[in-house]
Amino acid sequence: MRHSGIQRPRQIGATTLVTVMVLFFIMALVAAYANRNLVLEQRVALNFQRLGVVNEATHEAVALVGNWMNAGNLDEQCRPDVNGDGRFWDRYLIVLSDGRIDVPPDAKPPEAQKALANEKTPYVIACDRVGNGDWSCQCPKNHRPVFVPEDGQVRQSFVVRLRPYNDPIRDYGHSANLGRIGINVASCFAASSTCSRLVYDSNEAVPLAMTVQSFVLNRAVRMPPASALVVRRDVDLSDGMQVVNNNPAAGGVVVQAGSDVTGVRDGVRGPAGSPHTHSVAANQALLAAADSDRFFRLFFGMYLAEYVAQPAMRTLTCDNRCALALQALVHGGARLIRFQGDLELGEEVVVGSTESPVVLIVDGKLSINSPLQLHGLVYSKDDMSWSNVSAKPSVIQGALLVGGRLIGDKGAAVLFDAAAMQRLKFGTGSFLPLPGGAGWGLSWDDMR
């Protein structure tokens, strides 16, 4: 029996498939080639965006450091803490006797270095953040922050070096740099461990921005008084208020007044050997002719409204027990303090110290009726009354300025402290950014 075979149809189209695949591949190459500019533009746009972020971080760093310079006590994470271990001043700055500002030896750039610190100069502050979160900063007492390592997260960071201007040759004469301090900031789109070495190692493709910003100290007292007590109107020493000036360099004048000085003068004492008759200078024409604003400017160099607006100024707010509130404010790191209105200090407290004197500005009348001990300079815009019936001393060690009249008694004492006045003149005040004191730079290494 014969079977007829069924012939299967032959497969066709393989050549067409290969041809179509080749054409698709060629079209893909043409599309990629045509869009090469788009890819490059996207990468450039990303680089611009990241450089904008690090540039903004650099501005933030300058603002943050400026705030810390004028803040009270800080913890080691750069956060305000009334119980923190001192202020930015105490941790990072050293005020020399002639007004120049130095930094601790382990935070100082090499002597041969000029405008910018080099890789041997340590970073003393480091801050990191993830995404758009808050900055996490380090301001350690040992001046050695622990840099955050890379962990795969998108991070931003900045690191800070200190730059003193206290070399009389390198810095073009130290008189032009009194109260001046600089910071070198580097910020980058990476963790601080990368940012801390990136300035001198440009082999890594990371956006980087740098700046050098100078700050200058707006001094707490421009012209410290040379006498223990200066009053614009009259003084009543009552039964023997004590006013002492043992500093022979001050000229021996203990009390200056624009009008009469009455009461028992047995407690008024100048330097040893100085004539007792020269210790009181009453009816001073300059003081008598000065109004309240001019009287303030004689010592502080500006109007009261301008002075109390400076960034380091702290406002004392209290309804009662104000001496305790004042003590707490100073304990938290405040050195410039103002009170709006009439102030009464009626508690036994110690405010300030010989090493850390304060400036107390009372925009009104001042009344002290307790064994208060205050180190620094006290200014009362209007009249002042001071009484102390306790057996303990009530003392202002520094100087006292009264814009009205003063009534004191035997239990009150002003002891002139020339060293405290020097500290207030050169080592206390507010840091302000110096115009023209910044230099900016951006790195494009990541576009190579």
Side-chain angles (χ1 to χ4, degrees):
M1 183 175 177
R2 295 172 50 184
H3 297 278
S4 60
I6 300 176
Q7 190 175 11
R8 294 183 179 181
R10 296 173 59 189
Q11 293 184 350
I12 60 174
T15 303
T16 304
L17 177 62
V18 172
T19 303
V20 171
M21 293 297 294
V22 170
L23 289 176
F24 270 122
F25 179 72
I26 294 174
M27 290 176 62
L29 290 178
V30 171
Y33 181 80
N35 288 293
R36 69 192 188 284
N37 291 333
L38 178 60
V39 175
L40 177 62
E41 288 173 1
Q42 288 177 335
R43 183 174 182 182
V44 170
L46 178 61
N47 290 334
F48 267 116
Q49 187 266 338
R50 289 184 171 180
L51 280 173
V53 169
V54 297
N55 189 37
E56 189 65 28
T58 308
H59 284 279
E60 288 186 58
V62 171
L64 283 172
V65 175
N67 290 338
W68 295 333
M69 286 181 172
N70 295 311
N73 292 344
L74 300 172
D75 62 16
E76 292 200 338
Q77 287 71 48
C78 312
R79 298 172 300 199
D81 184 358
V82 294
N83 297 315
D85 192 11
R87 305 169 298 157
F88 186 97
W89 278 65
D90 307 320
R91 198 170 299 175
Y92 293 113
L93 304 180
I94 301 172
V95 180
L96 305 180
S97 59
D98 60 358
R100 292 177 294 148
I101 296 179
D102 204 352
V103 298
D106 57 355
K108 189 180 298 186
E111 289 298 324
Q113 185 63 24
K114 291 188 177 181
L116 294 173
N118 61 24
E119 66 273 12
K120 296 182 180 179
T121 305
Y123 289 108
V124 296
I125 297 172
C127 295
D128 290 78
R129 71 178 175 188
V130 177
N132 295 320
D134 296 330
W135 289 108
S136 176
C137 296
Q138 301 176 60
C139 302
K141 293 182 293 183
N142 65 359
H143 311 140
R144 293 293 185 271
V146 179
F147 300 119
V148 175
E150 298 290 353
D151 56 2
Q153 300 187 76
V154 179
R155 288 186 179 273
Q156 304 162 44
S157 66
F158 67 81
V159 288
V160 181
R161 290 178 171 130
L162 299 178
R163 198 291 195 199
Y165 295 88
N166 57 13
D167 190 309
I169 298 176
R170 184 187 68 191
D171 296 320
Y172 314 107
H174 71 264
S175 61
N177 291 306
L178 297 182
R180 184 182 177 191
I181 185 69
I183 60 172
N184 297 350
V185 179
S187 63
C188 60
F189 209 83
S192 55
S193 59
T194 301
C195 202
S196 61
R197 69 173 187 274
L198 194 61
V199 177
Y200 302 99
D201 183 7
S202 59
N203 293 322
E204 296 185 52
V206 178
L208 170 71
M210 297 176 289
T211 183
V212 180
Q213 175 67 55
S214 293
F215 292 85
V216 65
L217 178 65
N218 180 44
R219 293 176 287 176
V221 185
R222 296 292 181 88
M223 291 296 295
S227 302
L229 176 62
V230 183
V231 182
R232 189 170 66 91
R233 296 171 61 191
D234 59 293
V235 177
D236 182 1
L237 298 173
S238 188
D239 56 349
M241 177 179 174
Q242 300 180 63
V243 188
V244 179
N245 183 356
N246 289 323
N247 182 25
V253 178
V254 184
V255 178
Q256 297 185 58
S259 188
D260 296 331
V261 177
T262 61
V264 179
R265 299 189 181 185
D266 293 346
V268 179
R269 299 188 299 275
S274 62
H276 185 70
T277 55
H278 293 172
S279 60
V280 176
N283 299 298
Q284 295 290 297
L286 178 63
L287 296 177
D291 59 12
S292 179
D293 285 335
R294 185 180 178 188
F295 180 74
F296 185 86
R297 296 202 312 272
L298 286 174
F299 306 99
F300 297 96
M302 63 184 73
Y303 288 99
L304 176 60
E306 298 171 336
Y307 186 82
V308 298
Q310 60 183 300
M313 182 65 66
R314 300 293 178 265
T315 299
L316 174 64
T317 56
C318 57
D319 295 325
N320 51 49
R321 303 178 68 83
C322 290
L324 292 173
L326 175 62
Q327 184 186 44
L329 201 59
V330 174
H331 176 73
R335 295 296 179 266
L336 304 181
I337 304 163
R338 58 92 58 109
F339 184 86
Q340 294 178 282
D342 299 337
L343 176 63
E344 179 180 353
L345 301 176
E347 292 79 45
E348 180 183 353
V349 296
V350 177
V351 177
S353 65
T354 303
E355 294 76 20
S356 298
V358 302
V359 175
L360 174 61
I361 305 294
V362 180
D363 194 359
K365 297 179 181 180
L366 174 60
S367 174
I368 301 177
N369 50 37
S370 66
L372 169 79
Q373 296 184 51
L374 188 147
H375 297 263
L377 179 63
V378 177
Y379 168 83
S380 175
K381 182 179 179 180
D382 296 323
D383 298 341
M384 177 178 175
S385 62
W386 191 355
S387 62
N388 176 32
V389 297
S390 72
K392 299 179 180 179
S394 183
V395 180
I396 293 176
Q397 185 168 335
L400 174 61
L401 306 174
V402 181
R405 68 190 305 262
L406 170 66
I407 301 176
D409 71 7
K410 191 174 183 178
V414 182
L415 307 180
F416 183 74
D417 189 338
M421 294 301 101
Q422 282 293 102
R423 290 189 180 93
L424 292 177
K425 180 177 181 179
F426 292 124
T428 309
S430 297
F431 278 106
L432 306 176
L434 192 63
W440 297 88
L442 295 175
S443 171
W444 297 84
D445 288 337
D446 59 334
M447 293 184 60
R448 296 181 302 174

